[in-house]
Amino acid sequence: MKKILCLTTLFLLIACKESKEEYICSPPLPTFSMWINKNSEVHKEFINERGNIDSTHIALYKQVDNTKKNYPIRFLYETDPRGNTYLHIGTQLWFENDVYTGKTETLYLQNAIKTYKIEVNGYMENDKCGEYAVTNEIRVDGVKVENHYLAK
């Protein structure tokens, strides 16, 4: 009886361990993000006269034929380990990933003052856990940017 109880317990422990590993092995959904240094001149284009994020005049979209395809966007401030604060503008590509397609896709980031043309070259990579987004290059108004920073 003790042997059966020990074997059952051992089996349950192994089964629980395997299910936890499967849960950990889930790649993130593709996202697209841009970071803007709070101390930059560019940051001023994204805030209103009260100093708050001007969410009513900011849009991220893609031209599809002659129609704007708007992406839902989120704004938040993040501080890196060096103490630099960045405005993070991003979208989660929940249902349709039309940004990381393997060819250069063009997005537009618009605020009350200016519209930035953002060219994204990336693709989806497969591994044992599933697909994840890989960015080859991002250009803003024709200039290559480093690691998704609109203003570093």
Side-chain angles (χ1 to χ4, degrees), residues 7-116:
L7 287 174
T8 303
T9 304
L10 180 63
F11 176 75
L12 287 174
L13 289 173
I14 291 171
C16 288
K17 182 179 179 186
E18 287 177 6
S19 66
K20 286 181 183 177
E21 287 176 6
E22 288 175 15
Y23 178 74
I24 291 171
C25 187
S26 62
L29 293 170
T31 61
F32 179 77
S33 301
M34 293 298 294
W35 283 271
I36 303 163
N37 191 314
K38 191 174 180 181
N39 295 322
S40 70
E41 289 297 313
V42 174
H43 179 262
K44 293 176 185 175
E45 299 171 7
F46 292 89
I47 58 173
N48 58 27
E49 61 279 350
R50 292 183 306 279
N52 299 323
I53 298 169
D54 190 7
S55 59
T56 58
H57 294 104
I58 300 172
L60 179 67
Y61 63 91
K62 183 177 186 177
Q63 284 289 138
V64 179
D65 298 321
N66 289 325
T67 308
K68 281 184 181 180
K69 177 189 175 190
N70 285 302
Y71 294 93
I73 51 178
R74 288 188 12 202
F75 311 99
L76 59 104
Y77 283 102
E78 296 179 348
T79 303
D80 69 11
R82 295 178 305 230
N84 297 319
T85 302
Y86 294 90
L87 171 60
H88 171 251
I89 300 174
T91 187
Q92 186 104 38
L93 303 168
W94 294 100
F95 301 108
E96 180 186 355
N97 172 20
D98 60 352
V99 176
Y100 301 100
T101 61
K103 58 183 183 170
T104 300
E105 299 292 343
T106 303
L107 305 175
Y108 298 90
L109 179 60
Q110 179 178 359
N111 60 47
I113 299 168
K114 182 176 180 176
T115 300
Y116 293 92

